[in-house]
Amino acid sequence: MYDMYEIRDRIQIRDRWIALYVENQVGVLAKVSGLFSGKSYNLQSLTVGTTEHEDVSRMTICVKSDDITFEQIKKQLNRMVEVIKVIDITTAPLHMKELLYARIDDITADEMYQIFHLAEVFKVRVCDAGEDSLILECLLTTQSNDELIKLLKKKYKKVSIVRGGAVAMESISICKR
């Protein structure tokens, strides 16, 4: 029998994270993303890259769901032939970063100086600059990137954003149970 807090947690919709090891073959990404779209699960983030083994790729997937839906997603992924391993990393201690590029256009010299200062505060890199525009390269947590975007949009008129999605690796400094 569930108590009131267990029930609340099971229906709470929040970000859930999966590390998915798959065979590195043509069409696997389409099959995985097709599973999500076919079941009307909305992907928050999906990144994929090869691992130390050329024939294996790792996907880092974020989906906003409740516990019950998340369990269904994991079961459906486990049934796919190309899937080698599904790991729920939602509550695991992680090292996680997201790549983001922010382009700010039509800025004055004073605004450019302010953005260079902002880049120092956020510990991001100005990777390109022109007469009245610049590009920031950010490798931060998703939350920090969100905060930076909010600040840039509040202060500057022409801001373009490109996000690469988060990648994560489980921490080795925390004892495993």
Side-chain angles (χ1 to χ4, degrees):
M1 192 83 194
Y2 294 116
D3 68 17
M4 181 175 65
Y5 297 108
E6 286 177 299
I7 292 169
R8 184 200 65 207
D9 288 345
R10 291 182 66 77
I11 60 172
Q12 181 184 21
I13 295 177
R14 61 186 170 101
D15 286 348
R16 317 293 173 134
W17 292 90
I18 299 171
L20 186 64
Y21 289 89
V22 297
E23 294 175 3
N24 187 10
Q25 297 176 350
V26 174
V28 173
L29 176 60
K31 281 185 176 183
V32 170
S33 61
L35 177 133
F36 282 85
S37 65
K39 300 288 185 178
S40 298
Y41 303 141
N42 189 28
L43 287 169
Q44 297 297 108
S45 174
L46 185 150
T47 57
V48 61
T50 56
T51 65
E52 65 278 10
H53 305 286
E54 288 180 17
D55 57 340
V56 177
S57 290
R58 177 175 162 139
M59 295 182 180
T60 304
I61 300 171
C62 179
V63 62
K64 196 174 282 290
S65 74
D66 57 54
D67 282 351
I68 295 166
T69 303
F70 190 57
E71 288 303 316
Q72 290 173 343
I73 291 168
K74 291 188 296 185
K75 285 177 186 174
Q76 290 165 349
L77 288 168
N78 267 312
R79 278 190 231 130
M80 294 178 70
V81 174
E82 301 83 2
V83 171
I84 299 165
K85 189 172 188 179
V86 178
I87 304 169
D88 179 354
I89 59 174
T90 303
T91 58
L94 300 171
H95 295 279
M96 184 181 294
K97 298 290 185 206
E98 176 190 52
L99 176 63
L100 175 141
Y101 285 99
R103 180 182 175 131
I104 304 99
D105 291 310
D106 297 335
I107 53 177
T108 65
D110 186 49
E111 289 173 323
M112 190 171 289
Y113 173 78
Q114 292 171 8
I115 295 168
F116 269 91
H117 180 69
L118 187 67
E120 280 183 46
V121 170
F122 273 83
K123 295 182 172 67
V124 299
R125 187 171 83 89
V126 176
C127 66
D128 197 2
E131 198 172 294
D132 67 345
S133 61
L134 54 77
I135 297 175
L136 299 176
E137 182 180 68
C138 314
L139 187 59
L140 303 171
T141 64
T142 302
Q143 182 180 352
S144 294
N145 279 339
D146 289 343
E147 291 168 9
L148 178 60
I149 291 168
K150 187 177 177 181
L151 184 60
L152 291 172
K153 285 183 172 181
K154 183 178 177 182
K155 293 186 77 146
Y156 307 103
K157 294 177 196 131
K158 289 187 81 177
V159 178
S160 303
I161 302 294
V162 176
R163 295 177 96 152
V167 292
M169 181 170 269
E170 301 82 356
S171 177
I172 57 174
S173 58
I174 305 295
C175 293
K176 306 266 186 212
R177 288 186 221 167

